[in-house]
Amino acid sequence: MSPLPGTELGAIFDSVAAHLPTFEVAHTRGAFADADSIRNLLGAAGFREVDVELIAVEAIWGKDLADATEFLFEWGPVRHHRALAGPAADDEVYAAISAGLEPYLTPDGVRMPNTAWLTTATAPLP
């Protein structure tokens, strides 16, 4: 299962997972996984007027294909699972990332949609 289902980054991670059997990124679980979880966490911490909105933006992932590929290749979770698998999988992982990013290569760098939770809240005064 993709760690980021329905997203461009999730599709790239799916191709990485084909070469790293233990690969998993837990963005779809935990306290920041969805709007309700974020609201509950911040509400329990005393915040009020919690507003959570899923936004999509075009993110710049690197100045060129090699730069963007290296960024994801060395990203913490990918690096960790590469270490678990050993160096034999590195070439395949690098190629999978590069192939996944290639459709997003523009003259201005690698630009790919990204999503995030835009969250605002009010902290009570002491």
Side-chain angles (χ1 to χ4, degrees), residues 8-9 12 57-72 94 96-114:
E8 289 79 359
L9 189 56
I12 293 171
V57 297
E58 183 180 74
I60 300 172
W61 293 85
K63 64 182 178 185
D64 55 30
L65 189 57
D67 185 45
T69 300
E70 191 69 21
F71 173 73
L72 284 180
Y94 192 92
I97 293 170
S98 184
L101 289 170
E102 189 170 17
Y104 304 100
L105 180 61
T106 73
D108 298 323
V110 177
R111 297 175 160 282
M112 184 173 65
N114 195 23

Side-chain angles (χ1 to χ4, degrees), residues 41-106:
L41 176 73
L42 293 178
F47 288 88
R48 296 184 301 239
E49 301 174 29
V50 178
D51 185 47
V52 183
E53 176 186 358
L54 183 64
I55 60 168
V57 297
E58 183 180 74
I60 300 172
W61 293 85
K63 64 182 178 185
D64 55 30
L65 189 57
D67 185 45
T69 300
E70 191 69 21
F71 173 73
L72 284 180
F73 185 72
E74 293 297 339
W75 183 58
V78 174
R79 181 188 291 186
H80 171 74
H81 290 280
R82 285 181 27 238
L84 292 176
D90 280 357
D91 289 343
E92 290 86 1
V93 170
Y94 192 92
I97 293 170
S98 184
L101 289 170
E102 189 170 17
Y104 304 100
L105 180 61
T106 73

